Amino acid sequence: MSENRITVLTEEPVARIRPEVYGHFAEHLGGCIYPGVWVGEGSSIPNTGGIRNDVVAALRRLAPPVLRWPGGCFADDYHWEDGVGPRSERPRTVNMWWGEDIETNEFGTHEFIHLCRMIGAEPYICGNVGSGSPYELRSWLEYCNFAGDSTLARRRAENGASEPFGVRYWGVGNENWGCGGTMCPEDYGVEYKRYATYLHDISGTELFLIACGPNGNNPDWTRRFLSKVYTSRRGPRMHGFAAHYYCGTAGTSTEYTDDEWYALIHRAMGVEALIRQQRAVMDGYDPERKVGLIIDEWGAWHQPEPDRNPRHLWQQNTIRDALVAASSLDIFNRHADKVVMSNIAQTINVLQAMILTEGDRIVTTPTYHVYEMYRHHQRGTSVQTRFAGPDISFAHEGQEQALPALSGSASVRDDVLTLSVVNASAHDEVEALIDLRGASAELSSARVLAADDIHAHNTFDAPDTVAPADSAPLANGNQVTHRFPPASITVFRFKLGS
Ligand code: AHR
């Protein structure tokens, strides 16, 4: 019998996995919005009201729960009124952060809401704190959410939406320690309280306000910010606290050694240390855990590709990126009692994208397939797991390090157990015993994402090089052995019996 063991404690719940943990992020940056989403009504690319149909169809398959927009750094230089009203009259502005591209403002609030409705996602608007004002943000909120007869609500109706949008998720700035105003935590704390004061639950929409957290795992930012905002017994009006965690790169997006393969996956898994440390600091101020931790932007950030504008952050996406995504999502699932949302950066044509577009063609990336396979975890109850397998040693930047070959997470919904397992070993199959405690499995199905070459990726000419395949179902019973292919992600679905 195998010494490697995956134990699933089906009767030891962690918490319900909020669907928003599988969220996305689309910024006015490079090709994300133009032409990743928006091609305009007159385009020869099939579209609905200017939004491309192929991208909508692909995104819908992921069941995206939430979409964060319009940035990123762009958000703190965005003035919402530029993006409403007749498109032909909207100003042409300069995207200062991302390549000085001309921003036509054709894609604004109404187009964003339209996109969200088409893909079935909740809109999440990130407000402008860096160069805006509390009045500007509360007016955007009124424009979106007010059901009565105000001038702004009338304007929304004149622009085609008589019913309020009911936007729940509002970010109070983005990276306010950097592109969102270069503030220290205390200064941002003052601004946060000021802005939050004017963001009301109007016309029955209960807001979920999100504060800007640290750059990576910086407990000092968190402690100093929280000391500033926890000034009354009730605490601040804050529902989420958002850290950003980019694991960077090792090698390039498509060329890397085995050590670099491991180094990137290892760094991605560093988000667990962030979660543990940030939640410990948050617990000191919020022992009842009313405020959720959000990983608002995350993913791999490779070097700019040759022949591409470096400010457009376009990058290829390989099976290694898929393992980065899967290992991270497993960590979020395991911390479902604190992590309430995550938004991978970014949806289309930017950083660790789901989709790449070229003219009228699209290709889905290995990371896309992870989201499609992992969608079954959404709304499940995360349960405790133990992974005992080999450790892989590797060297990177002069340091000897180790990474567990096997990792994953499990959740139960409607008597179906979803178990996701990553085998990070670049070249070795790993056999492990799956030990289901507290329930027996009657039926199972399994899908696997794997590639013979650890550099494998999808291109417009070979779009299915990395694609999920069905794996043989496991035998019934509580204990079954499975051989996990190298460099793979497997998702099992067990029907639980009593
Ligand atoms: O996702 C790209 C950029 O990374 C975002 O605009 C910013 O918030 C972060 O630094």
Side-chain angles (χ1 to χ4, degrees):
M1 194 171 272
S2 176
E3 286 177 12
N4 305 319
R5 184 182 285 255
I6 297 167
T7 311
V8 183
L9 304 161
T10 59
E11 288 179 340
E12 291 192 27
V14 178
R16 177 176 176 264
I17 300 170
R18 288 174 60 127
E20 293 80 6
V21 168
Y22 287 78
H24 296 271
F25 166 39
E27 179 168 11
H28 288 239
L29 192 177
C32 186
I33 299 293
Y34 313 105
V37 171
W38 180 261
V39 286
E41 285 164 324
S43 172
S44 58
I45 297 174
N47 68 84
T48 304
I51 295 174
R52 47 192 304 167
N53 295 343
D54 50 3
V55 165
V56 167
L59 288 177
R60 282 183 67 86
R61 287 196 286 274
L62 304 183
V66 68
L67 182 62
R68 178 176 184 252
W69 172 86
C73 293
F74 180 80
D76 281 277
D77 194 29
Y78 180 65
H79 301 281
W80 68 273
E81 290 190 272
D82 292 346
V84 295
R87 280 188 211 109
S88 58
E89 292 169 22
R90 296 187 194 172
R92 292 168 69 79
T93 51
V94 182
N95 191 329
M96 293 290 190
W97 288 106
W98 305 116
E100 297 177 26
D101 291 348
I102 291 297
E103 169 59 59
T104 61
N105 285 298
E106 284 173 72
F107 189 88
T109 304
H110 289 255
E111 292 78 11
F112 170 59
I113 298 292
H114 188 203
L115 170 66
C116 288
R117 290 189 177 152
M118 284 199 287
I119 64 175
E122 280 284 325
Y124 165 6
I125 290 182
C126 182
N128 179 346
V129 168
S131 71
S133 68
Y135 180 70
E136 184 184 15
L137 191 52
R138 61 71 75 206
S139 300
W140 196 2
L141 172 72
E142 180 187 329
Y143 183 88
C144 288
N145 287 1
F146 191 55
D149 188 24
S150 73
T151 300
L152 283 172
R154 280 189 189 183
R155 202 163 141 204
R156 185 192 65 234
E158 279 157 23
N159 290 333
S162 50
E163 292 301 314
F165 297 141
V167 177
R168 254 193 100 210
Y169 295 106
W170 291 85
V172 182
N174 168 74
E175 296 195 350
N176 300 92
W177 35 261
C179 63
T182 328
M183 298 180 210
C184 66
E186 290 80 10
D187 287 352
Y188 174 64
V190 170
E191 290 300 311
Y192 180 84
K193 284 191 289 186
R194 201 159 74 100
Y195 274 73
T197 306
Y198 302 98
L199 300 175
H200 291 263
D201 295 353
I202 51 174
S203 301
T205 298
E206 208 175 302
L207 302 188
F208 189 100
L209 298 184
I210 298 166
C212 159
N215 180 16
N217 183 16
N218 179 349
D220 184 55
W221 167 277
T222 304
R223 216 170 279 120
R224 288 168 59 190
F225 168 73
L226 295 179
S227 310
K228 199 74 199 171
V229 295
Y230 277 89
T231 47
S232 70
R233 260 197 313 136
R234 269 198 311 158
R237 254 190 94 229
M238 176 169 81
H239 308 93
F241 179 69
H244 289 185
Y245 185 79
Y246 287 102
C247 60
T249 190
T252 72
S253 66
T254 53
E255 287 170 29
Y256 36 84
T257 61
D258 285 2
D259 279 345
E260 287 166 339
W261 159 277
Y262 293 122
L264 188 64
I265 297 166
H266 184 255
R267 221 178 292 141
M269 292 178 83
V271 76
E272 186 150 31
L274 176 152
I275 294 168
R276 285 189 200 288
Q277 202 163 357
Q278 292 294 321
R279 64 183 295 173
V281 178
M282 290 171 76
D283 281 354
Y285 295 85
D286 172 35
E288 290 171 41
R289 298 192 175 157
K290 291 190 199 147
V291 181
L293 180 61
I294 294 176
I295 314 296
D296 223 9
E297 290 184 24
W298 65 275
W301 190 318
H302 300 301
Q303 288 162 18
E305 307 273 343
D307 308 326
R308 299 259 178 187
N309 183 335
R311 297 304 289 163
H312 286 179
L313 310 185
W314 190 97
Q315 64 190 37
Q316 243 311 347
N317 191 301
T318 69
I319 182 76
R320 182 176 63 159
D321 297 289
L323 267 79
V324 163
S327 315
S328 306
L329 291 171
D330 283 323
I331 291 167
F332 304 156
N333 289 341
R334 298 202 299 263
H335 289 270
D337 56 333
K338 191 63 185 173
V339 176
V340 297
M341 183 193 285
S342 99
N343 299 304
I344 188 169
Q346 297 192 9
T347 315
I348 305 149
N349 292 330
V350 170
L351 297 176
Q352 192 170 343
M354 304 292 122
I355 296 170
L356 303 174
T357 69
E358 188 178 76
D360 62 357
R361 301 203 287 176
I362 71 166
V363 63
T364 52
T365 64
T367 300
Y368 173 96
H369 293 304
V370 171
Y371 272 77
E372 190 271 324
M373 291 164 69
Y374 273 51
R375 72 191 190 287
H376 299 296
H377 279 304
Q378 291 186 26
R379 297 185 175 82
T381 297
S382 174
V383 295
Q384 297 283 357
T385 50
R386 311 262 181 274
F387 286 78
D391 274 342
I392 304 163
S393 301
F394 66 98
H396 187 61
E397 293 172 345
Q399 272 199 312
E400 291 290 328
Q401 296 180 71
L403 173 78
L406 296 180
S407 64
S409 66
S411 63
V412 179
R413 197 179 82 197
D414 300 334
D415 290 330
V416 176
L417 169 72
T418 300
L419 169 66
S420 44
V421 181
V422 173
N423 177 10
S425 173
H427 305 291
D428 296 326
E429 188 180 77
V430 176
E431 185 182 270
L433 179 78
I434 300 174
D435 182 4
L436 302 182
R437 302 266 178 92
S440 68
E442 289 176 353
L443 274 175
S444 80
S445 66
R447 286 171 83 214
V448 61
L449 190 70
D452 294 337
D453 175 3
I454 60 168
H455 309 95
H457 54 275
N458 295 336
T459 64
F460 294 99
D461 294 325
D464 296 320
T465 306
V466 185
D470 287 339
S471 171
L474 299 179
N476 289 354
N478 293 34
Q479 295 201 327
V480 280
T481 299
H482 188 75
R483 296 166 85 87
F484 294 91
S488 69
I489 299 147
T490 309
V491 175
F492 299 98
R493 308 261 295 140
F494 297 96
K495 176 91 183 85
L496 295 178
S498 43

